[in-house]
Amino acid sequence: MRGGTVAVIGGSIAGCAVATAVARAGAGQVTVLERTRGRLEDRGVGLCVHDERAVELRASGALPAGITAHPLQRRRWVVRDDAEGAGGRLIWQQPFPFHSYHWGLLWRGLRESVPDTVVYRQGETVTAVEAAATGTGAGAGEAEGEGDRARVRLASGSVERYDLVVGADGYRSVVRAALCADARPHYAGYVCWRGNVDAARLDELGSSGDPVPEAVTTVCFPGGSCVVYRIPGPGGPRVNWVLYAAPPREGQLRLDDPTSFPPGALTPGLAEHLDALLEREFPPYWRRALALTDPADTFVQPIYDLEAARTAGGRLLLAGDAASVVRPHNTSGAAKALQDATALADGWRRSESFGELLDGYHRARGAAGRELVALARRLGRAQVERTPAWAAMDGAGMAAWWQGQLDGAPAIGGRAMAP
């Protein structure tokens, strides 16, 4: 397939990766429609990519070289035990072959790699998308009627037509609403608190400092867990943390919106709830470390997941969180989005028509998304909803507990793509 017009709805990590992939694969004109007018790189949260996934994605061109990352080697599981000191008691260690990234720095690297031929339009809000009326029709280089094209309606009221529309517009995807309207995010029953702090501020905690900069530390407590790890930042290393726990008391948090309280919007009641949780459950060192976080860098969101029954059809295709929302425990979100882009480019090069492209993409990436959602649900049940008696666990017990969560999956971080 050569030529054809492609609209990518959403210009963040998945959107930039998809735009680059299809432009390099042979699309005639690629247009990115991003609703945000400001700087996307201001999103400061951390994320991780498994080392093996990173090697594959760099080889495919989906992960550009030169993006700053912090190497991680192992994961430490600790519980509060005042007899063991301020850092708590180590109950298990496991290999953790990942690199961590700052969301904004990763996005910037992907954005800079988008070819100049791609038109990247900011401030364009897409209000609705309509699938092609007459199936998948001709190949990209063949003549097509209006019924073979998908329609994109903008907030301005204008309508644009494209040979393919890719939804890279996250959990609220308007493209997914057009492709499978019944797909809705499912609330997991707990929330996630996030924050990050300048790593240099750990010196304020005394001589113990950050004990293992190359490790993820998981603080375990009844009814939840918290992962803490270093990430690179625009101004130097930062400490990123993600805490999973039961929701605050009724009325403090809406549970119908996965981003209810963004950074800087915590209410005094929510801040007090978090402080009480840290005081009650955390080893003193880790409580003080998280308490260093500026309120402007702290937020809370309900945890959701979602499976789309269809990831492609009617000249519409879903990538990243638009296709499947996976609980963060699996540490696979960024890798999955880049794999979606890679699969789309590979399919474009192999296919002779849009119909063949869409069918092949759904077979490959629909199954991958479902597998990730299922694994992350098992991880969430074991690490938040039905936590073990952490303090009574030893290394052997933890290893068996971990394998029970994987249930045959090779590891977290996502699978290798099929050749």
Side-chain angles (χ1 to χ4, degrees):
M1 286 171 43
R2 303 293 300 177
T5 57
V6 179
V8 180
I9 314 302
S12 62
I13 287 175
C16 287
V18 165
T20 298
V22 295
R24 292 174 176 171
Q29 179 59 64
V30 181
T31 301
V32 177
L33 302 174
E34 165 57 44
R35 64 182 178 84
T36 304
R37 293 183 182 275
R39 292 173 45 175
L40 291 175
E41 62 263 38
D42 286 343
R43 301 177 187 178
V45 298
L47 56 91
C48 297
V49 177
H50 194 285
D51 289 351
E52 292 180 0
R53 303 292 79 72
V55 170
E56 297 163 353
L57 292 166
R58 279 194 290 268
S60 74
L63 181 60
I67 300 176
T68 304
H70 177 79
L72 298 167
Q73 300 174 6
R74 51 197 165 116
R75 186 174 186 179
R76 307 167 68 253
W77 300 74
V78 303
V79 296
R80 179 170 180 170
D81 187 335
D82 294 340
E84 293 288 331
R89 175 164 54 88
L90 178 68
I91 58 174
W92 191 43
Q93 290 193 87
Q94 64 182 144
F96 196 82
F98 285 76
H99 275 67
S100 64
Y101 292 83
H102 180 281
W103 192 101
L105 295 180
L106 177 60
W107 174 82
R108 187 183 304 171
L110 291 166
R111 177 67 183 92
E112 290 172 352
S113 296
V114 175
D116 292 340
T117 56
V118 173
V119 178
Y120 190 102
R121 290 159 47 187
Q122 286 196 255
E124 293 281 14
T125 299
V126 175
T127 58
V129 173
E130 297 176 22
T134 59
T136 50
E142 303 174 32
E144 301 174 359
E146 291 300 327
D148 293 313
R149 310 180 87 194
R151 293 157 52 97
V152 174
R153 185 174 298 278
L154 301 175
S156 64
S158 63
V159 175
E160 299 177 358
R161 294 173 173 81
Y162 296 90
D163 296 315
L164 178 68
V165 174
V166 180
D169 48 344
Y171 69 91
R172 288 179 172 145
S173 173
V174 296
V175 184
R176 186 180 64 239
L179 184 61
C180 41
D182 293 338
R184 294 284 190 277
H186 171 75
Y187 174 52
Y190 56 93
V191 301
C192 165
W193 302 80
R194 288 181 180 266
N196 66 92
V197 62
D198 184 349
R201 293 203 62 193
L202 295 181
D203 293 340
E204 300 173 22
L205 304 182
S207 59
S208 59
D210 185 1
V212 192
E214 73 278 9
V216 170
T217 296
T218 300
V219 179
C220 308
F221 57 91
S225 55
C226 176
V227 293
V228 188
Y229 57 93
R230 287 202 177 207
I231 62 172
R238 299 189 69 80
V239 175
N240 185 75
W241 54 270
V242 187
L243 191 162
Y244 304 96
R249 64 179 180 271
E250 187 175 354
Q252 289 198 73
L253 185 66
R254 287 174 50 203
L255 299 176
D256 59 352
D257 182 350
T259 54
S260 296
F261 284 86
L266 285 186
T267 65
L270 287 171
E272 290 173 6
H273 176 92
L274 177 59
D275 289 344
L277 174 62
L278 297 179
E279 178 68 32
R280 183 176 66 251
E281 304 290 1
F282 273 51
Y285 174 84
W286 295 107
R287 173 180 57 78
R288 294 196 299 268
L290 269 60
L292 292 171
T293 309
D294 192 293
D297 293 320
T298 307
F299 68 99
V300 58
Q301 65 186 100
I303 292 295
Y304 283 73
D305 55 29
L306 175 146
E307 296 176 79
R310 300 170 63 198
T311 56
R315 297 297 180 91
L316 306 179
L317 184 146
L318 304 176
D321 286 349
S324 57
V325 178
V326 180
R327 303 185 197 184
H329 312 288
N330 202 18
T331 321
S332 61
K336 192 262 185 187
L338 299 182
Q339 285 184 330
D340 287 348
T342 299
L344 179 55
D346 290 345
W348 191 291
R349 296 185 182 99
R350 289 195 304 264
S351 300
E352 308 236 346
S353 68
F354 281 108
E356 184 180 346
L357 170 66
L358 296 171
D359 289 346
Y361 180 88
H362 175 66
R363 285 195 301 273
R365 302 311 297 164
R370 289 190 296 273
E371 181 180 85
L372 291 174
V373 169
L375 173 56
R377 284 174 177 167
R378 295 196 298 272
L379 295 168
R381 283 193 294 269
Q383 297 178 38
V384 186
E385 299 173 81
R386 305 171 192 167
T387 53
W390 300 107
M393 299 283 274
D394 58 14
M398 287 289 293
W401 169 82
W402 181 255
Q403 289 302 316
Q405 295 173 68
L406 295 181
D407 192 26
I412 63 172
R415 286 185 182 268
M417 293 185 64

